[in-house]
Amino acid sequence: MEPIPIAKKTPASSAAPIKFIITKTVNSKTLSPQTSVPPVIAGRVLTQSSPVIPPRTINLSEPHNTSIQSLPGKKIAISPLKTPSKNIKPVQSVAVGGVGGSQFKTIIPLATQPNVQQIQVPGSRFHYVRLVTATTASSTGQPSGPSTSSIQTAKPMVVSTGAVRMSVPIVPPQTMKQVAPKPLTSAAQVVTTTQTQQRLIMPATPLPQIQPNFTNLPPGTVLAPAPGGGNVGYAVVPAQYVTQLQQSPFVTLASSSSFPASAGIQTQARLPLNGLSAAETTSRPRKPCNCTKSQCLKLYCDCFANGEFCNNCNCNNCFNNLEHETERLKAIKTCLDRNPEAFKPKIGKGKEGEADRRHSKGCNCKRSGCLKNYCECYEAKIMCSSICKCIGCKNFEESPERKTLMHLADAAEVRVQQQTAAKTKLSSQISDLLMRTTPVVSSGGGRLPYTFVTKEVLEATCECLLEQAKKAEQTHQPRAEAERMILEEFGHCLMRIISSAGKAKADCASINC
DNA sequence: GAGTTTGAAACT
DNA sequence: CAGTTTCAAACTC
């Protein structure tokens, strides 16, 4: 189709260039393509950090800079990427956006049912969506499909996080509330017109794939279906919402059998987050907060600032959870009123070098020399830049203090690696020893009886090791030397055990026991 | 673990 | 916008 300019184009936000698409087809039979559902996308755009932009609905029948593609199957994955075709997958998963400097938006197809509610699963850093069957899908006066009423009962979805599968309840529509697992802009509240429920809905029919110029649409934009063009709309979602899905290992949101036609929602992206590689983010789960006075509803709280619910935190009087949704939304709005970019990653790319990362606002350190984790630049392992207003900054490339710190850090890292390797080796040797001492006496083999590693032997060994530690301490040996002494003693102990076992075996053989 | 320091966020 | 206060994390002892 010939590209058509979008009439209501607004400048794109500076959202992070991390995008991917989650799509899910649910109950595609419930609506016929001819059903003329009003272009009301009664869902809430999942957004975390988009600037305050008035919510808008764009009718796809309007002139657009769009290209329509047809894809087989019922799944939709639209990714406004540099190479979109490579990321459109007619499978039930995810289209992973590329990483680059351009502004990408994540498009989540919207239809009229079922409802989707954001949820956060305890123990997970993911934000999931909860599919809610809509018994009021025809509240706009449109005839409901024959199967609309057939899905009356809320059914759980199975959430799989790696090897663990959790059941996520799907609440009945009457209990459905808006949930904001990610901070929302005011623009994120998609305007509902005639429908009472706000719903973010997955495509319900095998529809033409629409590939508008999403990159230029502001977060919060809702693309409503054109009349006769099917019952699907699209919501533009800032990348930050999606990035949270990437912070944990591979996860599958698989629907239960109650949604036979539905697809799983999967995240399998490994994309940078906040300047860190995905590997870094996945390997370092967020630290629990310890907020006491902010109710975790201010940016002091890292969880809140990251757009996450508190989970396994040590906070007191926490309101950053589903139970305090209203307060949380209000707090989000307050933060965004104060700073529309409050929830955007602070570490972005610098203007000059593509590889350069820098703090979006710069730090204001006065006493730390920007060489302690008080400094947000240093904490993010980046140099201070010209936009920093720090005093006495030592966090620059040529800084000798910084180099010294880096060397120390490197040395410490090497040390840790060495210790880890030593432990691994020791563990391997112990395993090997135990393997060799498995009870095979009766078979006449050469192995030693493991019964020689008795509790008493273990205790004696520990005493020897402790004694060695004391000795090292008394002689003020450096830690490395102390460790060496202890390990050496451990080796001696092992040798004695082996030797004793060997003798015992020989004795045993001599008396035919 | 308690107390101190620090700088971002919030407030005035 | 600048100065001050609040807050929670980082750090020190």
Side-chain angles (χ1 to χ4, degrees):
Chain A
M1 175 178 283
E2 188 177 357
I4 307 167
I6 292 179
K8 299 176 181 180
K9 185 174 175 181
T10 60
S13 74
S14 57
I18 306 165
K19 318 288 168 188
F20 69 96
I21 312 300
I22 300 172
T23 62
K24 185 180 178 100
T25 302
V26 180
N27 199 22
S28 63
K29 299 175 183 175
T30 55
L31 291 175
S32 68
Q34 288 74 32
T35 303
S36 178
V37 177
V40 176
I41 307 307
R44 188 179 56 202
V45 177
L46 313 179
T47 176
Q48 170 189 357
S49 56
S50 53
V52 177
I53 300 168
R56 300 174 304 120
T57 298
I58 298 175
N59 193 306
L60 291 182
S61 64
E62 294 176 347
H64 279 289
N65 183 16
T66 59
S67 62
I68 308 296
Q69 299 177 357
S70 294
L71 284 178
K74 299 176 180 178
K75 284 72 183 181
I76 294 178
I78 298 179
S79 180
L81 307 171
K82 290 178 179 176
T83 55
S85 60
K86 293 180 181 178
N87 295 292
I88 296 176
K89 299 177 181 179
V91 295
Q92 54 180 41
S93 63
V94 182
V96 180
V99 177
S102 58
Q103 302 296 322
F104 294 147
K105 299 291 184 299
T106 299
I107 311 300
I108 293 184
L110 303 175
T112 52
Q113 76 174 46
N115 297 329
V116 174
Q117 180 182 20
Q118 293 182 63
I119 59 173
Q120 188 174 49
V121 178
S124 168
R125 301 179 63 203
F126 288 89
H127 283 202
Y128 301 107
V129 292
R130 175 181 296 170
L131 302 181
V132 183
T133 57
T135 56
T136 58
S138 59
S139 62
T140 57
Q142 296 300 322
S144 59
S147 61
T148 301
S149 58
S150 65
I151 308 177
Q152 298 286 337
T153 309
K155 298 289 177 60
M157 290 176 62
V158 175
V159 180
S160 173
T161 57
V164 181
R165 293 178 74 84
M166 293 174 285
S167 179
V168 179
I170 299 176
V171 298
Q174 60 271 23
T175 63
M176 188 186 79
K177 300 186 296 182
Q178 282 197 19
V179 182
K182 301 290 284 185
L184 301 171
T185 66
S186 57
Q189 301 295 335
V190 175
V191 174
T192 44
T193 54
T194 56
Q195 289 186 330
T196 55
Q197 285 186 328
Q198 293 192 347
R199 292 173 294 152
L200 185 148
I201 302 167
M202 301 302 175
T205 55
L207 296 163
Q209 303 303 293
I210 302 173
Q211 183 79 33
N213 184 7
F214 293 121
T215 60
N216 293 321
L217 297 178
T221 301
V222 171
L223 305 181
N231 303 312
V232 66
Y234 300 88
V236 180
V237 182
Q240 282 82 2
Y241 167 72
V242 185
T243 59
Q244 190 172 353
L245 297 170
Q246 305 163 13
Q247 297 174 25
S248 297
F250 184 89
V251 147
T252 299
L253 266 174
S255 63
S256 69
S257 58
S258 63
F259 294 98
S262 66
I265 299 176
Q266 296 180 337
T267 69
Q268 51 192 39
R270 291 291 183 270
L271 297 174
L273 172 73
N274 203 15
L276 296 174
S277 73
E280 288 172 295
T281 57
T282 53
S283 61
R284 277 187 297 182
R286 179 184 57 75
K287 287 165 53 175
C289 74
N290 301 290
C291 307
T292 56
K293 297 183 178 179
S294 67
Q295 296 177 317
C296 299
L297 288 185
K298 294 194 173 179
L299 294 174
Y300 298 128
C301 175
D302 279 351
C303 307
F304 181 77
N306 288 329
E308 300 169 8
F309 287 128
C310 283
N311 183 32
N312 294 328
C313 291
N314 307 312
C315 41
N316 293 329
N317 196 23
C318 180
F319 276 42
N320 186 26
N321 49 43
L322 277 172
E323 287 72 34
H324 298 87
E325 180 190 346
T326 307
E327 293 90 341
R328 187 175 188 270
L329 284 173
K330 190 177 175 184
I332 289 166
K333 185 177 184 306
T334 302
C335 286
L336 287 168
D337 285 346
R338 190 180 296 122
N339 175 18
E341 304 197 352
F343 296 101
K344 284 190 176 178
K346 289 180 179 176
I347 308 302
K349 286 190 173 179
K351 292 178 182 175
E352 51 281 349
E354 284 190 8
D356 289 344
R357 296 162 49 219
R358 73 174 191 176
H359 198 286
S360 59
K361 288 168 58 184
C363 69
N364 300 288
C365 306
K366 294 176 178 62
R367 305 173 69 92
S368 67
C370 300
L371 287 182
K372 293 190 174 180
N373 281 333
Y374 298 126
C375 173
E376 293 195 345
C377 298
Y378 181 81
E379 189 179 28
K381 295 181 171 60
I382 58 177
M383 309 287 172
C384 288
S385 68
S386 56
I387 58 174
C388 292
K389 294 176 274 298
C390 41
I391 298 171
C393 180
K394 295 169 182 171
N395 185 26
F396 54 93
E397 185 67 47
E398 293 80 17
S399 165
E401 290 91 347
R402 180 185 155 277
K403 286 180 179 174
T404 303
L405 262 180
M406 292 297 111
H407 288 149
L408 287 172
D410 288 345
E413 192 172 341
V414 168
R415 180 77 184 283
V416 168
Q417 287 174 352
Q418 286 176 341
Q419 288 181 346
T420 304
K423 286 177 185 172
T424 305
K425 187 179 178 182
L426 188 61
S427 174
S428 168
Q429 288 174 337
I430 292 171
S431 300
D432 188 48
L433 180 67
L434 291 174
M435 285 291 291
R436 282 191 279 149
T437 56
T438 47
V440 291
V441 172
S442 59
S443 67
R447 295 183 183 176
L448 304 174
Y450 74 92
T451 50
F452 276 85
V453 188
T454 62
K455 184 185 173 189
E456 289 74 20
V457 169
L458 284 175
E459 286 176 351
T461 304
C462 291
E463 282 182 19
C464 290
L465 299 182
L466 282 172
E467 192 61 33
Q468 204 67 8
K470 283 181 186 173
K471 186 177 170 184
E473 196 176 52
Q474 287 166 356
T475 56
H476 304 292
Q477 298 291 340
R479 185 172 170 174
E481 177 63 15
E483 289 174 355
R484 192 195 63 77
M485 291 169 63
I486 294 169
L487 284 173
E488 196 172 80
E489 178 63 24
F490 186 60
H492 292 154
C493 291
L494 288 178
M495 291 306 294
R496 286 197 289 271
I497 294 169
I498 294 168
S499 175
S500 299
K503 285 180 183 175
K505 185 189 174 191
D507 294 345
C508 187
S510 67
I511 58 174
N512 286 327
C513 64

